[in-house]
Amino acid sequence: MKWILIILALFTTKLSAQDIEINFASEGNLFDIDEVIVTNLSTDQMLTIGGSESLILSQITTDIDTDKSFPKATIVPNPYSTQTNLNYRSSHPTKGFVQIANLSGKIIVSKKVFFEIGINQFKLSIAKPGLYLVHVITPKDNFSCKIIQEKPSVNSIIETTILKDDPYLLKSKSNNVLTYSSGDRISYLLKSGNLSTVVNEIPSATKTITTNFFDCIDGDNNPYPIVQIGNQWWMAENLNTTTYSNGNPIPNVTSELSWNNLENSNTSKAYCHFNNNNALEYGALYTYGATVNGATITEGNQVQGVCPDGWHVPDNTEWTELVEYLQNTGGYVGKAIAAHKGWEEYVEEEPVGPSFFAQSEEYGRVGNNQEDNNRSGFNAIPAGYRMSTGEFEGEGGAAWWSLTESDSEYAYKWGLSNESYNLWGEDTGKASGYQVRCVKD
């Protein structure tokens, strides 16, 4: 019993040494921060704390992985007769693979799995006796171990159970503590009254996060969270207003035939919701005419259009500034702006070995490894669009209007899909229905 207590005491000391304290403040203390909603985008864990309170990020993965007393994975028994047990401890939910390969690296059997928090258990067997390699592959881990099977069996990997009460992954009961692993992306939604600002980061040290708050309230009095990306401030949600800031209504066109009769022009105004379902929380879809509120476009001039007061419709120059900033700060642009969940997975081929996640280009697509999405806080969701014919398409993608025209009937949109690496722009008919994000004046 004495030795157990000593081991637990050492483990507790290691955990506290890994804690990071985060505090929050507004620029110049001009606003009181009422609350902060904290989300670990890598695990979907969430908590809400008061704006004057400290957040404790408690890191536990590193000490578990490096301390041989608490191995991350075990295979017992080994050697074995016809079947053995793999126990793999995961500190957060993640996709991955369990594979058995021969010594030359050829995969004998592979299983795509979703690792839950806790100890994930699998039963392993191979058709022919011999010496093999077991691989556990996730975006942030690569475990390998030799196994020896003594008698014939079948090629099989069977997931059996998950022990969520793993004592070394139990989370603190404190309301202000969120567990995280090194490299996890944390999102903070800071609220002051009806104003809110998003800050996303990979935490590395104790700090105070200081941010600004700006009004971003549409004609229906809906407030929007905002996010700073480089020198720009963007809405962090899709616009969802039915009126302009002056109170004038935007025509709601639901009929496919009526939408098909709209003109490709700056004066043809209409909005709808995807599949005419406003419960989807995708935001609204607007024609170009509705987006610019019938304005005649002059190069270099800002147009408020459908945007809240103090905000305007971004042109190609501003979209390009967003893309170039994200390119210069590293990583795939598409993944930087895409939400961390909700996208359809995109995989063209099965992995060919334990280096799959490190080497395959599939990792960089928006729909894959979504826990690594949204480093910018833009939070793009796959919300679809409406073709100029009135048909709804592309629920697996997202696209937003640009102010920039190519001619009197065409203007640019910027979008991405689940297979995208980047954010791309192309011109399209003005009677199409796309989402709107506004940028601060």
Side-chain angles (χ1 to χ4, degrees):
M1 177 63 71
K2 185 180 294 185
W3 282 106
I4 294 175
L5 290 175
I6 291 173
I7 290 172
L8 288 176
L10 288 172
F11 185 69
T12 302
T13 301
K14 286 184 177 183
L15 284 181
S16 62
Q18 296 294 332
D19 288 352
I20 291 177
E21 181 178 324
I22 306 293
N23 292 285
F24 305 93
S26 68
E27 189 73 37
N29 296 315
L30 296 178
F31 295 87
D32 292 329
I33 301 176
D34 300 322
E35 67 176 19
V36 181
I37 300 175
V38 187
T39 305
N40 185 328
L41 300 183
S42 300
T43 68
D44 262 352
Q45 293 172 275
M46 179 183 297
L47 62 84
T48 300
I49 67 172
S52 61
E53 298 175 354
S54 297
L55 168 71
I56 303 299
L57 297 173
S58 182
Q59 183 177 3
I60 62 177
T61 303
T62 300
D63 290 311
I64 292 174
D65 291 349
T66 58
D67 194 325
K68 301 304 181 182
S69 302
F70 312 121
K72 184 157 194 173
T74 60
I75 296 179
V76 180
N78 188 25
Y80 60 96
S81 177
T82 59
Q83 189 177 72
T84 189
N85 300 300
L86 165 66
N87 296 325
Y88 177 80
R89 175 181 286 117
S90 180
S91 62
H92 58 275
T94 186
K95 293 179 290 186
F97 293 88
V98 176
Q99 301 174 341
I100 304 176
N102 62 22
L103 294 184
S104 66
K106 180 181 178 181
I107 303 299
I108 306 300
V109 57
S110 177
K111 183 177 180 67
K112 183 184 294 186
V113 298
F114 188 89
F115 296 105
E116 298 282 1
I117 295 176
I119 298 177
N120 298 255
Q121 297 184 328
F122 305 85
K123 291 190 178 297
L124 313 178
S125 62
I126 295 293
K128 296 181 180 181
L131 178 62
Y132 296 92
L133 295 173
V134 173
H135 303 301
V136 178
I137 307 166
T138 74
K140 297 180 180 179
D141 193 23
N142 188 343
F143 166 81
S144 296
C145 182
K146 293 179 181 179
I147 58 173
I148 300 175
Q149 184 168 303
E150 297 173 335
K151 296 181 180 180
S153 183
V154 295
N155 293 331
S156 178
I157 298 174
I158 301 173
E159 189 169 4
T160 57
T161 189
I162 299 167
L163 301 181
K164 292 190 176 182
D165 57 347
D166 175 5
Y168 307 114
L169 293 175
L170 291 178
K171 297 170 180 55
S172 168
K173 301 300 182 182
S174 170
N175 290 332
N176 287 20
V177 175
L178 187 74
T179 56
Y180 83 108
S181 302
S182 178
D184 283 356
R185 193 173 306 280
I186 308 298
S187 179
Y188 314 98
L189 178 62
L190 293 79
K191 293 190 172 185
S192 178
N194 63 356
L195 307 181
S196 54
T197 300
V198 174
V199 177
N200 285 7
E201 67 159 2
I202 296 177
S204 59
T206 293
K207 65 188 297 187
T208 296
I209 292 177
T210 303
T211 191
N212 281 312
F213 292 93
F214 299 108
D215 284 321
C216 188
I217 302 173
D218 67 23
D220 289 344
N221 209 34
N222 297 315
Y224 295 88
I226 61 174
V227 61
Q228 185 175 16
I229 306 176
N231 294 321
Q232 299 173 308
W233 284 90
W234 289 82
M235 292 171 52
E237 289 180 358
N238 294 333
L239 191 70
N240 194 33
T241 186
T242 65
T243 60
Y244 295 102
S245 290
N246 62 7
N248 291 341
I250 307 168
N252 181 208
V253 178
T254 57
S255 161
E256 182 175 317
L257 178 61
S258 297
W259 194 282
N260 185 47
N261 289 332
L262 296 172
E263 296 180 350
N264 286 316
S265 72
N266 289 26
T267 57
S268 189
K269 303 178 186 179
Y271 88 93
C272 66
H273 291 92
F274 190 83
N275 284 336
N276 293 315
N277 183 358
N278 61 6
L280 291 175
E281 298 183 351
Y282 286 172
L285 302 173
Y286 302 88
T287 61
Y288 181 82
T291 300
V292 303
N293 194 13
T296 299
I297 309 304
T298 303
E299 186 176 355
N301 286 355
Q302 294 179 354
V303 172
Q304 177 181 351
V306 74
C307 293
D309 289 337
W311 297 73
H312 62 271
V313 181
D315 62 16
N316 278 1
T317 299
E318 289 166 307
W319 281 109
T320 300
E321 181 180 341
L322 172 69
V323 169
E324 290 180 348
Y325 173 80
L326 294 175
Q327 286 175 335
N328 292 336
T329 52
Y332 295 99
V333 172
K335 293 184 76 65
I337 71 168
H340 76 288
K341 59 182 179 180
W343 294 86
E344 182 180 351
E345 185 179 12
Y346 185 88
V347 177
E348 290 184 330
E349 59 183 3
E350 289 296 311
V352 295
S355 61
F356 169 71
F357 281 105
Q359 296 181 355
S360 174
E361 67 176 9
E362 303 309 311
Y363 182 87
R365 298 186 188 271
V366 164
N368 298 344
N369 309 102
Q370 293 177 48
E371 65 273 10
D372 290 337
N373 287 2
N374 203 28
R375 66 179 169 88
S376 70
F378 190 91
N379 200 41
I381 59 175
Y385 57 89
R386 194 168 196 176
M387 300 173 64
S388 58
T389 59
E391 299 172 293
F392 292 99
E393 297 285 352
E395 190 172 10
W400 305 269
W401 280 115
S402 167
L403 183 67
T404 303
E405 301 170 301
S406 56
D407 60 34
S408 62
E409 296 186 353
Y410 284 77
Y412 283 85
K413 66 174 181 182
W414 288 73
L416 71 163
S417 68
N418 66 320
E419 62 183 283
S420 298
Y421 299 105
N422 206 342
L423 183 67
W424 43 266
E426 65 178 8
D427 62 352
T428 186
K430 293 180 178 180
S432 303
Y434 292 106
Q435 303 144 40
V436 171
R437 289 290 181 103
C438 304
V439 67
K440 191 177 183 303
D441 294 351

